[in-house]
Amino acid sequence: MPKQRPDGPDAAESPDSATSGDASGSGVSRRGFFGFAAVGAAGLAIGGAGGAVTANALGRAAAPASGQQIPFRGAHQAGIVTPAQDRLHFASFQLLRSTDRAGLVALLRDWTEAAEQLTRGRDVGETGAVSGPPLAPPEDTGEALGLNAANLTLTFGFGPGLFESEDGTDRFGIRDRRPAEFEPLPSFAFDLLEPELTGGDLCVQACADDPQVAVHAIRNLSRIAMGRARIRWSQLGFGRTASTSTAQDTPRNLFGFKDGTANLMAEETDELPRHLWVPEDHPQAWIRGGSYLIARKIAMTIETWDRASLREQEQIVGRTKGEGGPLSGGGEFDSPNFAAFSSDGGPAIAVDAHVRLAHPDSNGGVRMLRRGYNYVDGNNPLGQLSAGLFFICFQNDPATFVRVQRALKTDTMNEYLRHIGSGIWAVPRGIAAGEFVGQALFE
Ligand code: HEM
């Protein structure tokens, strides 16, 4: 087990605590690891001397007090209703052909142990970044030394290929555990998916308030997976495009509009079991309390959008750009009135406006929890930004997303969008004390 720091939160904080945040843990940083080495862990003194002394000599101040910890264990996985953090590193992993069921289980155990450490703001491994033997590569890559947990959450998902390989084989002996509703996504109108940005056996969504913390987590999980799985595709996101709590301000996407206003929120406790969490009477016990994560990498032609008039932009969305109120009138959180008419006699919210087509009233009442991020991946040779929305949503039935995405077929926003990446993963329920992620699937 990784080393505990003497003044760490472990004594006070139950690992499966249901409450988030630990103000007293604000100073809990990887720096604490040096503290441990410095107070005389004799076994580490030789190997860790260089790192510990250097770190102490650097005399770094304690990590900023803003960082808090989100409990890794609980009834549901963290990173879903957790108030959306500002930064994302998402990775889809492909299991290597040589990985068998025992190898997959071992990987999930190792990831669970590392994830628990990472979400506490600690190094991974027994000796971390700088306290191991000098002649061996460090167990932790080290770029998060001195940083606190920054509200890191790690959310794990299982792809359809885990249950049946492309060649039809039941490689991991879990084909009969596949929930009936869990299938690869169908093709949608206007899909321009790039195969290298699509699918994957496992996914890890790392969200944090500090991008370095999120990247450090994915990098170390990828390192731990070496020889068993490799990253198939991945994405950095720099700004959340949704609120998942009524306590949060609504952020903006790269079209400049508020995004997440009508999202499913953590406080809607009656709605979450209806729309988000897989019910307790689901025939597959391992997915009860879990959810389904769908990710879509949506390129946005922002240079073209920027030439559209304000009125046109607002008509495409169906909301005002400033306050984000529906074009039928009212403030941001007033319900849209789809029956209202504008002064020119047409519908106040156009028939092909995004919010009309995506609204539950147009989709049999279904709702999803959106948790996407803005991205910019450099630029293309024409000098245009390769920008977009890394759309992520969670729902208790993938049919919800399929229904809404199909409804968006006539969305005028499509003129400015290209769906280039896609994936679906089943997100097992939360991880109980002593368990590894998805354990019930393999029992
Ligand atoms: C780059 C692509 C997209 C952009 C820029 C975008 C932008 C927006 C904006 C500005 C809103 C209004 C504010 C809000 O309630 O959040 C909204 C609402 C919504 N969007 Fe999107 N969206 C995109 C893609 C999608 C996709 C792919 C889906 C699902 C298939 C989706 C589902 C929804 C839903 C369900 C709502 C709330 C509708 C309501 O209840 O009023 N969006 N989106």
Side-chain angles (χ1 to χ4, degrees):
M1 280 296 290
K3 300 286 178 280
Q4 304 290 318
R5 85 190 257 274
D7 57 342
D10 306 64
E13 188 192 26
S14 153
D16 55 352
S17 153
T19 54
S20 79
D22 171 19
S24 67
S26 58
V28 176
S29 74
R30 289 157 184 87
R31 188 170 166 273
F33 193 87
F34 303 132
F36 176 82
V39 292
L44 298 178
I46 300 166
V53 170
T54 309
N56 288 334
L58 282 175
R60 290 193 185 111
S66 61
Q68 296 198 332
Q69 296 177 36
I70 309 283
F72 173 66
R73 297 180 187 267
H76 307 290
Q77 286 200 54
I80 304 175
V81 291
T82 306
Q85 305 92 321
D86 235 19
R87 310 296 181 132
L88 167 83
H89 195 179
F90 182 91
S92 162
F93 287 83
Q94 188 74 44
L95 287 159
L96 303 190
R97 278 181 199 280
S98 54
T99 305
D100 59 9
R101 181 183 170 116
L104 170 59
V105 167
L107 172 62
L108 295 173
R109 278 186 198 281
D110 292 349
W111 269 4
T112 302
E113 189 175 326
E116 187 147 34
Q117 292 303 108
L118 289 162
T119 53
R120 289 183 177 188
R122 293 162 177 258
D123 287 3
V124 297
E126 299 257 337
T127 54
V130 290
S131 297
L135 296 183
E139 287 185 285
D140 185 288
T141 54
E143 69 272 30
L145 286 171
L147 304 177
N148 62 36
N151 283 324
L152 174 70
T153 53
L154 292 163
T155 315
F156 295 89
F158 298 158
L162 224 55
F163 299 86
E164 187 172 301
S165 309
E166 274 173 15
D167 61 7
T169 54
D170 184 12
R171 202 171 138 197
F172 304 107
I174 50 175
R175 181 158 40 199
D176 59 353
R177 298 289 185 95
R178 184 179 64 81
E181 68 277 11
F182 184 38
E183 291 189 336
L185 289 172
S187 320
F188 298 103
F190 310 118
D191 267 3
L192 287 165
L193 302 183
E194 298 175 10
E196 65 277 13
L197 296 175
T198 303
D201 294 325
L202 302 167
C203 78
V204 186
Q205 175 198 259
C207 298
D209 295 333
D210 183 332
Q212 182 110 338
V213 169
V215 170
H216 171 257
I218 292 293
R219 178 180 175 193
N220 280 273
L221 294 177
S222 170
R223 194 161 180 264
I224 288 167
M226 208 175 287
R228 297 177 284 191
R230 65 167 180 82
I231 292 182
R232 181 182 163 96
W233 58 291
S234 58
Q235 185 65 49
L236 284 177
F238 65 81
R240 65 182 170 94
T241 58
S243 301
T244 53
S245 164
T246 51
Q248 295 183 295
D249 287 337
T250 314
R252 289 183 187 266
N253 58 38
L254 294 180
F255 284 156
F257 276 74
K258 286 189 181 176
D259 204 341
T261 302
N263 204 12
L264 192 54
M265 301 280 175
E267 290 79 7
E268 293 181 81
T269 47
D270 290 347
E271 294 284 284
L272 300 181
R274 284 184 58 207
H275 301 285
L276 183 63
W277 307 124
V278 175
E280 287 305 313
D281 60 356
H282 192 285
Q284 293 292 350
W286 68 269
I287 190 71
R288 293 175 193 157
S291 197
Y292 291 96
L293 184 162
I294 290 168
R296 305 282 287 181
K297 182 166 181 173
I298 308 175
M300 293 158 58
T301 48
I302 51 177
E303 288 79 4
T304 318
W305 175 265
D306 294 344
R307 288 198 293 269
S309 69
L310 177 61
R311 177 177 297 174
E312 192 181 343
Q313 292 182 4
E314 291 183 332
Q315 283 172 344
I316 289 168
V317 173
R319 289 181 174 272
T320 61
K321 194 166 185 175
E323 191 182 348
L327 292 186
S328 50
E332 181 186 350
F333 296 104
D334 288 323
S335 299
N337 176 1
F338 296 116
F341 287 93
S342 65
S343 51
D344 66 9
I349 300 175
V351 290
D352 45 14
H354 183 73
V355 296
R356 179 190 286 270
L357 298 171
H359 195 273
D361 286 1
S362 306
N363 295 287
V366 298
R367 296 183 70 192
M368 59 180 73
L369 182 139
R370 289 170 285 143
R371 215 175 185 286
Y373 287 82
N374 295 319
Y375 76 84
V376 177
D377 294 343
N379 57 278
N380 68 18
L382 300 173
Q384 297 164 327
L385 292 177
S386 304
L389 173 63
F390 195 73
F391 180 91
I392 297 176
C393 64
F394 293 88
Q395 52 271 295
N396 61 14
D397 188 341
T400 294
F401 172 82
V402 172
R403 178 163 189 161
V404 178
Q405 182 58 32
R406 283 192 173 137
L408 294 178
K409 186 177 172 184
T410 54
D411 189 351
T412 35
M413 199 188 275
N414 288 329
E415 206 180 309
Y416 303 90
L417 306 179
R418 275 182 304 124
H419 287 239
I420 57 176
S422 178
I424 177 169
W425 293 270
V427 175
R429 63 171 159 78
I431 304 135
E435 267 190 5
F436 63 88
V437 62
Q439 182 165 328
L441 175 57
F442 300 93
E443 282 170 342

